[in-house]
Amino acid sequence: MKMDLTDTTAGDINKALVQGRRAIGTPAVGMVLTLVIVTDEENAYDALRAANDASREHPSRTLVVIKRVSRSPRERTSSRLDAEVRVGADAGTGETVVLRLYGEVVGHADSVVLPLLLPDAPVVVWWPVNAPLDPAKDPLGALAQRRVTDSYAAEQPVRELSARAEAYTPGDTDLSWTRITPWRSMLAAALDQVTCRVTAVEVEGEEFNPSCELLAMWLADRLDVPVKRSLSGGPGLTAVRMDTSCGPIVLDRADGTLATLSIQGQPARAVALKRRDTAELIAEELRRLDPDDTYASALRYGVERLNTVPEQSVQEPVAELQPEEEAAKAPATRAAAKTAKKVPARKAAAK
């Protein structure tokens, strides 16, 4: 069931939600959270479809905030709120409200969203594109317990990770981090099977994919070893190679679907490691609403520290003498040897 409201208010939208639930015969509200999606018109359809698929696991009220750009000065000074209310089969297992903001109300989206939040329920804000540099200080982000961004959609993803690290607040997370959950689980399970010490790691993946940097930073942070980031043709992450005292451990995924895990002394095994869609990623993030300390630690490790050798593993170089230096020091060495031989003779004479 769909209802279109033009030039409306938050109060009218709440009334439409109640009427819609009664019309389909489900007056009770059985939703567990409010998901606020802040996007543009171009990406609204894909984001809403992913949210509807995720609502099968997490029934929620989904509020899609679309800020429309006013082209003329007259339109910028006027304010208007249009809404599309969806309940029943058109809204997955929850409710959906698509909010289109015009004019001055664009700068006060939090005032529009606040009356529509479910009472006594967690709030999650998701920016599929164009996320603010500091999500926690954004007016909409300040309403949420969990703030989800996606650095993969940024123009400069690696630089975006550095900005995320500087502005990190407990509750922040990124879908680029969520994408590597199967990789982290598989690598941790592989290391549990051996009693070897990891000495170096190489993470291989396509360029401009922040998931590769996040996985490399996680490994460097947890293992405290040098990690090299190398490029490949993709798709996404393609391989992780760990040098250990017992031989190499390699997790190789060339086609984006099936990976091969190779451990020294064991037969190679095929493991399912497919690339997941956005609905699966959002569903995973909605399973936990507490701060992700592991993500924070990996993010703060710093992209600039990759491809370098940690200080504790650097050994002092042994100075090598040049031929000219050896010739200059040779007479002094011979003189010292003669002196050492004469000292015992003098002592014997004294006795």
Side-chain angles (χ1 to χ4, degrees):
M1 180 178 181
K2 295 182 181 181
M3 292 172 283
D4 291 327
L5 305 176
T6 304
D7 198 5
T8 186
T9 63
D12 292 337
I13 295 172
N14 271 318
K15 292 178 183 178
L17 287 170
V18 174
Q19 294 174 359
R21 289 197 300 268
R22 289 176 178 173
I24 63 175
T26 57
V29 178
M31 290 160 286
V32 297
L33 57 88
T34 303
L35 176 61
V36 182
I37 305 174
V38 187
T39 184
D40 52 19
E41 202 72 61
E42 179 183 358
N43 297 278
Y45 174 79
D46 292 334
L48 186 54
R49 185 177 61 178
N52 287 341
D53 291 342
S55 70
R56 297 189 179 96
E57 183 177 342
H58 309 279
S60 58
R61 173 177 289 180
T62 303
L63 306 177
V64 183
V65 179
I66 302 175
K67 300 177 181 181
R68 300 296 298 268
V69 179
S70 300
R71 297 182 178 180
S72 66
R74 181 176 299 177
E75 290 177 347
R76 296 192 192 101
T77 56
S78 61
S79 298
R80 194 175 95 227
L81 171 63
D82 294 344
E84 181 182 333
V85 180
R86 305 179 185 180
V87 293
D90 294 319
T93 60
E95 301 172 342
T96 298
V97 180
V98 181
L99 303 168
R100 291 182 171 86
L101 283 59
Y102 300 83
E104 293 183 348
V105 74
V106 169
H108 305 279
D110 55 320
S111 301
V112 177
V113 168
L114 187 59
L116 301 176
L117 301 177
L118 290 173
D120 302 324
V123 179
V124 178
V125 178
W126 171 32
W127 291 269
V129 292
N130 302 326
L133 292 178
D134 192 344
K137 292 184 179 180
D138 183 83
L140 287 173
L143 302 174
Q145 288 78 32
R146 192 78 162 170
R147 295 164 293 275
V148 184
T149 58
D150 191 355
S151 54
Y152 185 76
E155 186 174 351
Q156 295 180 323
V158 177
R159 184 177 297 180
E160 191 82 3
L161 291 180
S162 300
R164 293 276 172 265
E166 293 178 2
Y168 176 81
T169 303
D172 294 352
T173 190
D174 197 287
L175 291 187
S176 294
W177 171 257
T178 316
R179 290 184 179 98
I180 63 174
T181 300
W183 284 84
R184 294 190 293 121
S185 301
M186 196 66 62
L187 293 172
L191 290 176
D192 284 342
Q193 301 177 37
V194 297
T195 57
C196 306
R197 183 175 59 88
V198 180
T199 58
V201 179
E202 180 181 3
V203 177
E204 181 184 271
E206 64 183 358
E207 193 175 5
F208 306 119
N209 190 326
S211 295
C212 302
E213 273 73 19
L214 282 170
L215 182 60
M217 289 189 291
W218 173 71
L219 289 167
D221 180 53
R222 289 297 166 180
L223 299 176
D224 196 22
V225 297
V227 178
K228 178 183 178 182
R229 165 72 165 97
S230 58
L231 302 180
S232 70
L237 270 163
T238 53
V240 174
R241 300 177 182 88
M242 295 187 288
D243 296 331
T244 73
S245 56
C246 302
I249 298 176
V250 181
L251 183 59
D252 190 356
R253 186 189 68 177
D255 60 355
T257 303
L258 193 65
T260 302
L261 177 61
S262 303
I263 302 177
Q264 186 74 20
Q266 300 182 18
R269 284 165 285 179
V271 294
L273 205 61
K274 72 179 184 68
R275 305 189 73 192
R276 299 180 295 169
D277 57 22
T278 307
E280 294 180 77
L281 302 176
I282 287 295
E284 178 184 329
E285 284 299 333
L286 296 181
R287 292 186 196 121
R288 56 174 299 175
L289 301 178
D290 56 318
D292 192 341
D293 296 332
T294 306
Y295 165 70
S297 180
L299 186 66
R300 287 169 174 164
Y301 180 85
V303 180
E304 65 281 354
R305 294 176 63 185
L306 298 177
N307 300 322
T308 59
V309 179
E311 294 181 0
Q312 60 270 22
S313 63
V314 177
Q315 299 180 355
E316 290 294 331
V318 179
E320 296 182 1
L321 297 175
Q322 300 297 326
E324 295 80 6
E325 295 177 346
E326 292 179 351
K329 290 189 176 184
T333 304
R334 289 194 291 269
K338 291 180 179 178
T339 304
K341 291 180 180 178
K342 291 180 180 179
V343 171
R346 291 175 182 173
K347 288 183 178 180
K351 290 181 180 180

